[in-house]
Amino acid sequence: MREFDYRRAHDVPGAVALLGADPDARYLGGGTNLVDLMKTGVERPARLVDVRALPLDRVEVAADGGVRIGATVTNGDLAAHPEVRRRYPALAQAVLAGASGQLRNMATVGGNLLQRTRCGYFADVTKPCNKRVPGSGCPAIEGEHHNHAVLGASEHCVAVHPSDMGVALTAFEAVVTYETADGPGELPFAELYLPVGDTPHRETALPPGALITGVVLPPAPTAANSRYRKVRERASYAFAIGSVAAALDVRDGRVHDVRLAFGAVASRPWRARRAEAALTGGPADAAAFAAAADAELADARPLPHNGYKVPLMRNLVVAVLSELAEEAAR
């Protein structure tokens, strides 16, 4: 491991100043992803700025019914928070599905959103990878790609984003707040992650040196009837091969409002807006759910060994929305 400077920040301006615009410096939260990447040589920061002591460790309910989540709130505390569980159950479920208890108690919300892909070629510094070394190639396209993207990929990268939390936040139209040397800013969650295109090494729209300070969830009554479902290759802790975050409001047998996002199918959490549009105002039944899923997946471009993800996601959408519709009818 490369030698590095370590500093602990005690306030947000101090943290931003310590990092500066140095591309070789990194913020350190729980370290559950960054430290692993440092051990393998993927990340080689010259300086770590520890942000765990910053006053960003609270979950607060806003007057309008929304929720603000500080960036250093641990995943464990977020999943256990009673107002999160009541107002946004799919978010709590996503966090619980995302890691073991030990990791949840270390990992932070801000760090979760900035975790890197788990593609094996990205993690192996002896292999080419456009995300790690721009222009070196993407061996996953012709190699091991059974868990890679079927939506929104390019010839430059087919890796998927690993966050479960991010899928639920995408469905609920969260806003990410951040701080830079020039002052505070915010990004709608839908704009946080950049399309992969021909620059897969550019993953987020955050300004250089930006420190994520929190996530704001707007009030969303529909979110109270929500669910996160994750499919993985083993029942214990593992990354998703497909997941769905869904919220559904059914009135008189028809869809009044729906939120739908997919995980493990693209380089970023995938908001299924085409499916939402197809469902809104229509019948809340399995046939409609399947047709909406087909509409969303029409642009899927699977590789030879990950085509299973298309029927998998279709079945997930139908199962989760059907369960939510049944609960709404009780």
Side-chain angles (χ1 to χ4, degrees), residues 32 74-77 79 94-107 112 118 164 230 232 234-239:
T32 55
T74 67
N75 290 7
D77 286 346
V95 176
L96 289 172
S100 66
Q102 297 93 326
L103 288 173
R104 291 196 302 269
N105 288 336
M106 281 295 295
N112 183 285
R118 263 54 180 193
D164 294 284
K230 175 179 180 177
R232 43 192 157 186
R234 62 180 188 271
S236 61
Y237 163 54
F239 293 100

Side-chain angles (χ1 to χ4, degrees), residues 1-50:
M1 185 184 292
R2 174 186 182 185
E3 290 187 3
F4 57 88
D5 181 39
Y6 170 87
R7 305 290 183 91
R8 177 174 294 173
H10 297 283
D11 56 62
V12 170
V16 173
L18 281 170
L19 192 87
D22 183 356
D24 289 332
R26 297 287 186 273
Y27 293 116
L28 175 68
T32 55
N33 181 215
L34 176 58
V35 172
D36 283 347
L37 294 177
M38 290 171 64
K39 290 177 179 177
T40 59
V42 174
E43 291 275 8
R44 295 172 56 82
R47 170 182 293 177
L48 293 182
V49 179
D50 191 333

Side-chain angles (χ1 to χ4, degrees), residues 179-225:
E179 189 81 22
T180 70
D182 296 324
E186 62 181 39
L187 273 172
F189 209 82
E191 300 174 14
L192 175 63
Y193 301 110
L194 297 172
V196 64
D198 59 0
T199 56
H201 60 289
R202 297 183 61 240
E203 296 178 351
T204 78
L206 290 169
L211 171 68
I212 292 178
T213 54
V215 175
V216 178
L217 284 163
T222 303
N225 186 39

Side-chain angles (χ1 to χ4, degrees), residues 249-262:
D249 181 3
V250 177
R251 302 182 187 181
D252 299 323
R254 304 190 78 80
V255 176
H256 178 74
D257 189 21
V258 60
R259 308 289 180 87
L260 197 61
F262 299 166

Side-chain angles (χ1 to χ4, degrees), residues 83-130:
E83 290 302 317
V84 173
R85 294 168 69 92
R86 183 171 73 87
R87 297 169 189 261
Y88 307 92
L91 175 57
Q93 294 163 10
V95 176
L96 289 172
S100 66
Q102 297 93 326
L103 288 173
R104 291 196 302 269
N105 288 336
M106 281 295 295
T108 62
V109 168
N112 183 285
L113 302 184
L114 296 179
Q115 65 182 300
R116 311 293 300 278
T117 181
R118 263 54 180 193
C119 175
Y121 298 103
F122 171 77
D124 186 348
V125 295
T126 69
K127 300 291 194 298
C129 171
N130 285 325

